[in-house]
Amino acid sequence: GNKWAGVNVQLNTLQNYTYNSGADNSITLNANSWYTVNWEDKGYASSRAIFMETEAEPVHIQALSVPSNVVAGQPATVDILLSGNPSPSEKLFLRYTNNAWASSHLLPVQLTGSMGTVEIPGQAEGVTVRYYAFSSTVNNPTPEYDLHTIRFNNNGGNFYSYTVGGTPQPEITFANLQWPPSGIINPGNAFVVYGRVFAEGLTNLPGAAPGLQAELGISNANNDPSGWTNWLPMSYHLDVDGQDIYLLDLGAAWTSTGTWYYATRYRIGNQAWVYGGYSPAGGGFWNGTTHSSGQLIITNNPTSWPVTFTLTDGTCTLNNVKFKGSMTNWETLPMTQNGNQWTITLNLSPGSYEWGAIEDNGTPYGIWLIEGPNLQVSVDVDGNVSGTTSYTSMVVGLPETEKPTIRVYPNPAKDYVVIEGAGGSLISIYNLDGRLLIAEQLLNHKQTFYLSTLSAGIYILYASSDQRFVFKRLIIR
């Protein structure tokens, strides 16, 4: 006595059915297919229905994962387990809300076999996200989610949920005592100690990391610095490779004579202190073995010895070389020239130092003449010097104008070298002492020079033409 009619059924489409009027409905079904019919129950009144067709029996949504430790702004990944591989026409969706279903959002789920994955966008701190998953054959089931649903899993009506926490405070993942490892000074003499610290998202920002504290501790016992009581604040120095460098002139801050041990410590806000130790490889968290404390001897006895540093100009191009190092607090000092050698003598206290040299070309930092890491030298308590006190620089310090195109090969060479470039260039080869060994005109675009008169070593090849010049390093095996 009641019917809902007047429809030629279109599969996978929500359609209106008229109550008790209209021609009987018609639908064409395909063999071996499965059909899910959802009917909107409005009682005895016109209503809506949908026939959804799948190639096989629809799969069940067995389980959804719940993200943990989600912080503000961080997307949350949800994994979904199905009872089997879905039909090609089955689509899986995750629906979520961040306001107790006053509104909601729909996300398509990426399927791989019987597993699905979806990422819920980041939310504000304190927000509770509720969600569930459902399947459908409709590409966009909004806003009639329920009428378009084949199967669903909403955790028994309780929904799955997680609450967004606050952004975690950055943590210190590296800290050290950078330099120096030891020293001997008279009371009040300068003894600058450096330390480095790294915290992702904090020290790799420009300038001093906000909320980060750095201190230098000193003790007469070589034991765990976490038990020390004498701590002095360090000052921010600069950024290097994402790390913040801090320093303190310990010699000025601590004048009591004796043998003392020192280490660094750092913390962010009210976090626990972490302690830094020294090692030749760069140090790290203090452990008393591979990363240890430094040692400072403060005495009234004589504490310094003369050390001469020599830089040899292997390019014969430098004209204003200046010395700088940790013993000068990296301030430059003029060196004395004698031919292609530049020297300076400094009185150094026992300890370990880094040094280098620049060509002062009028720019703020000059031209750094050391290739590779800084040079290191040590002085012991008896004045014995070890490490590097002389260095040959192959860095060209002269400003170069337009360079002629010069190719030198093979390089390293053995019996001969081919020089290819602008004809008419004057080719000169010097040894590292600046002595001219070969001087020839490049008559052709390409010319072979035989090297039988030169022994194995490093040489400087100089090419000049029409007020233009270029330097190249030539290695003979």
Side-chain angles (χ1 to χ4, degrees), residues 112-136:
T112 303
S114 61
M115 288 295 299
T117 302
V118 65
E119 191 173 80
I120 300 175
Q123 307 292 320
E125 180 181 352
V127 168
T128 296
V129 177
R130 297 175 175 84
Y131 61 94
Y132 72 98
F134 69 92
S135 60
S136 178

Side-chain angles (χ1 to χ4, degrees), residues 131-426:
Y131 61 94
Y132 72 98
F134 69 92
S135 60
S136 178
T137 60
V138 179
N139 288 324
N140 184 13
T142 306
E144 302 293 349
Y145 306 105
D146 295 336
L147 280 171
H148 289 129
T149 294
I150 297 178
R151 297 197 192 278
F152 65 91
N153 184 334
N154 65 1
N155 196 25
N158 296 315
F159 301 106
Y160 297 90
S161 67
Y162 61 88
T163 300
V164 179
T167 302
Q169 195 173 37
E171 294 184 359
I172 295 173
T173 55
F174 174 83
N176 77 352
L177 169 63
Q178 179 70 17
W179 188 264
S182 61
I184 301 178
I185 62 172
N186 291 135
N189 284 3
F191 187 76
V192 180
V193 179
Y194 299 85
R196 291 190 180 194
V197 59
F198 176 78
E200 179 64 44
L202 196 66
T203 61
N204 44 8
L205 299 175
L212 192 148
Q213 303 170 63
E215 295 183 346
L216 184 70
I218 189 164
S219 172
N220 59 3
N222 188 15
N223 54 14
D224 190 338
S226 63
W228 295 358
T229 57
N230 299 311
W231 292 94
L232 305 168
M234 302 179 75
S235 300
Y236 169 78
H237 182 43
L238 51 84
D239 291 337
V240 174
D241 298 330
Q243 301 172 354
D244 280 3
I245 298 181
Y246 287 81
L247 60 79
L248 172 70
D249 186 348
L250 183 58
W254 194 267
T255 58
S256 300
T257 59
T259 298
W260 302 97
Y261 300 91
Y262 55 92
T264 57
R265 71 176 184 180
Y266 311 87
R267 71 176 178 181
I268 301 170
N270 293 321
Q271 292 181 3
W273 289 101
V274 298
Y275 297 83
Y278 171 83
S279 78
F285 292 121
W286 189 97
N287 58 19
T289 53
T290 56
H291 302 148
S292 57
S293 302
Q295 183 188 70
L296 174 63
I297 298 174
I298 302 178
T299 176
N300 290 313
N301 298 325
T303 60
S304 62
W305 288 264
V307 179
T308 299
F309 296 89
T310 302
L311 185 131
T312 300
D313 174 14
T315 67
C316 304
T317 64
L318 307 177
N319 56 33
N320 193 13
V321 177
K322 292 185 176 179
F323 178 93
K324 64 189 304 186
S326 58
M327 66 286 284
T328 71
N329 201 24
W330 297 103
E331 296 295 329
T332 57
L333 298 175
M335 302 183 76
T336 301
Q337 183 181 13
N338 182 12
N340 68 331
Q341 288 190 334
W342 300 73
T343 60
I344 187 173
T345 299
L346 301 175
N347 289 324
L348 298 183
S349 300
S352 297
Y353 305 90
E354 292 184 329
W355 68 279
I358 66 165
E359 167 74 355
D360 189 349
N361 63 349
T363 61
Y365 300 103
I367 299 171
W368 183 245
L369 300 177
I370 310 302
E371 297 180 278
N374 295 338
L375 307 177
Q376 297 189 7
V377 65
S378 297
V379 182
D380 68 16
V381 293
D382 297 320
N384 298 312
V385 178
S386 60
T388 303
T389 57
S390 61
Y391 180 80
T392 298
S393 175
M394 302 300 296
V395 178
V396 176
L398 292 178
E400 297 182 359
T401 58
E402 182 183 355
K403 299 178 182 178
T405 302
I406 296 289
R407 292 185 59 220
V408 179
Y409 59 90
N411 191 10
K414 187 175 183 182
D415 300 320
Y416 68 92
V417 64
V418 177
I419 300 178
E420 184 178 330
S425 296
L426 176 64

